[in-house]
Structure formats: C-alpha cells, structure tokens
Amino acid sequence: MPAYRTYTPERSLRLDAAQSAQFEQSGYLVLPGLLPSGLVERVKSEVDRWVDTGLRAQTIAAALDPASCEAPAVLELDLPAHGELLVHEPLLGVISQLVGPGFVHHHMHSDRHAPDLPGKPWHHDYEQHVQSYRTHAMVHALHYLDGIDPDMAGLAVLPGSHHEVADKSARAHAGTDPLPGEVFFEDLPPGSTVLLHSALFHTRRTKPGQTGRPRYFVDASYCQTGTLWPPVKPFWREALRRGRQLDYDEAAWPELFAERHFSEYVKPQ
C-alpha cells in the first residue's frame, strides 16, 4: 500500500494540487489521522451505545417503514460527538476544496463491524434514481476510528470508476473479488478518513478466518448543490431540522442542512 503522511488537524487544512487532482482523476483521497484522538474516543463510545442499546436497529426499522415517516427519538447526529464529527471544520474545509463551498449533508451511518461480518460486494453510492449523469459531486467521508489493520476487513476502490455512468450494482457480480487496477487499503492509523466520490466503485473485503478487532466505522455523505438529490430515509426533513440545531459555523456553511436541495422521498423498489 502507498505511504501517506499523517495530518495534525487544525482549523483549516489546505490540499495541494496533487491531492485535488487525485480526487478528480481517481475519485478518492486518503487523510490518515485526520480526526483528533479525543474526538475519536468520544465517537467510539457513542458507537458502542448506538449498537448495544438498539438505537441503530430502531433507526433501520424506521427507515424501512416509510408509511410512518416518523424519525426515531435518537438519530446519529443527535449523539454529541457524532454531530461534532459531521461538522468537523477540517473535514468540511477539505470537502469545500474538492466540490466548492456549496454542499448539503445527505446522511450519516454508524456501526461497529464484527470481525466475522461478511464483506460487501462491489458497489457505488451515488444517489440518483436514474443514473444518467455525473455533473454534480457527492462525497462519502469514510471514518475509520481505530484505523484499519491487516487483521480487519479492508477497503478496495477502483480508481477512475466514478467517471462512468453505471448502476450501483453494475459490478456486484464480482462479489468482493479483486479487480484489475484496484487499490486496496488494509493499514491506516486511527482517526483516518477516506473521502470517496460517491460514484466510485468500492468494496469491503474480509479475509478467511478473520478474528481481529471490531472495526469502528462512521460514514457521512455530502452533496454538491445545484441539483436535487433523492433522500434515502423517509424522515429526512426531521434529520435536517435536527442538523440545523447543531452548533456549527452557519455563516460558512449555509447550505449544509437546507431542505431545498432534495426531491421527495421515493421508497426503493
């Protein structure tokens, strides 16, 4: 795996021309150690609560029941450290350098992957119901709170595949098998973030007999403004409303929780 520098996060983090070009051409950018250790530990504690008390299961059940459209009492961004992570200034600053200052939060997921959790087949996460264009960017921030080590499931990406216009499952037939030209990450320090263009094909790949530590994982996505984005949860308006209650720099990120950038929810077929 290529060697990467580890960041000492400050309020702003300036990308160089090579980093910006890599994201544009390859569709990903690795930011090892982006997250401060204190924030990482607080988010990990909340992930344990999220999983162990059934909050995650409740949110999934609510998302699968569009008839109610009622948001659970607790969402990911209601957890203080998760909310802080969502609006982490160095992260938002990097995203603004990649897609411009106008972007809106789409969704957040949090989980603790068991060592024996199966891999996830090749897919992308670009949220348009008709995959017909790539004119506007959607970015997924994949946060690996404990990093990734060789005993955990790794992340494989297919550089450049975000330029294709393809359905999410176009490469699902390959399962999690290696593909020509892929890049595989299995060694990242704690607090690392991998930014993906959401149309980039990627997979979570496990290893036979894997018995390592659980993998603490949070992903949050952000969409470039200028088009309407389909929400993925029936209670998306309530989630954005709660987001607007977060303590963040609204003057710098006025679109971050604005409803006008979304179309109506449509239940997946």
Side-chain angles (χ1 to χ4, degrees), residues 120-124 158 164 166-180 201-203:
K120 187 171 183 178
W122 285 98
H123 66 286
H124 72 69
L158 192 61
E164 304 174 10
D167 288 337
K168 291 184 176 187
S169 60
R171 288 184 169 87
H173 62 277
T176 64
D177 292 344
L179 295 180
F201 279 90
H202 58 285
T203 181

Side-chain angles (χ1 to χ4, degrees), residues 195-209:
L195 293 180
L196 299 185
H197 188 295
S198 302
L200 188 76
F201 279 90
H202 58 285
T203 181
R204 180 180 69 239
R205 182 178 299 148
T206 59
K207 300 173 184 177

Side-chain angles (χ1 to χ4, degrees), residues 19-227:
Q19 291 171 308
S20 297
Q22 177 183 321
F23 186 83
E24 170 63 26
Q25 296 166 12
S26 298
Y28 70 93
L29 183 64
V30 182
L31 301 171
L34 174 71
L35 306 177
S37 58
L39 176 59
V40 166
E41 290 307 312
R42 286 186 286 117
V43 175
K44 281 182 60 179
S45 178
E46 290 181 351
V47 173
D48 285 333
R49 175 193 171 199
W50 183 250
V51 173
D52 294 337
T53 65
L55 290 173
R56 180 175 183 271
Q58 291 172 23
T59 300
I60 292 173
L64 295 176
D65 183 21
S68 71
C69 292
E70 293 183 2
V74 180
L75 297 173
E76 292 95 334
L77 53 68
D78 291 319
L79 305 174
H82 278 68
E84 184 178 339
L85 175 60
L86 184 62
V87 299
H88 187 51
E89 182 66 25
L91 173 66
L92 299 187
V94 169
I95 293 172
S96 71
Q97 293 171 67
L98 296 175
V99 307
F103 55 90
V104 62
H105 168 59
H106 192 272
H107 67 269
M108 187 179 210
H109 292 146
S110 183
D111 200 4
R112 186 185 62 214
H113 296 155
D116 59 352
L117 181 71
K120 187 171 183 178
W122 285 98
H123 66 286
H124 72 69
D125 296 303
Y126 191 79
E127 292 293 347
Q128 288 293 340
H129 290 315
V130 178
Q131 298 285 337
S132 60
Y133 66 88
R134 295 291 184 267
T135 56
H136 293 76
M138 181 179 185
V139 177
H140 269 64
L142 310 183
H143 303 295
Y144 296 94
L145 303 180
D146 274 343
I148 301 177
D149 65 42
D151 292 327
M152 294 179 178
L155 170 70
V157 301
L158 192 61
S161 58
H162 63 302
H163 294 300
E164 304 174 10
V165 178
D167 288 337
K168 291 184 176 187
S169 60
R171 288 184 169 87
H173 62 277
T176 64
D177 292 344
L179 295 180
E182 73 166 39
V183 175
F184 184 57
F185 302 102
E186 63 173 348
D187 192 7
L188 291 175
S192 292
T193 297
V194 180
L195 293 180
L196 299 185
H197 188 295
S198 302
L200 188 76
F201 279 90
H202 58 285
T203 181
R204 180 180 69 239
R205 182 178 299 148
T206 59
K207 300 173 184 177
Q210 200 162 277
T211 58
R213 297 173 292 144
R215 190 173 78 155
Y216 284 82
F217 176 76
V218 179
D219 80 75
S221 60
Y222 307 81
C223 300
Q224 185 179 25
T225 58
T227 190

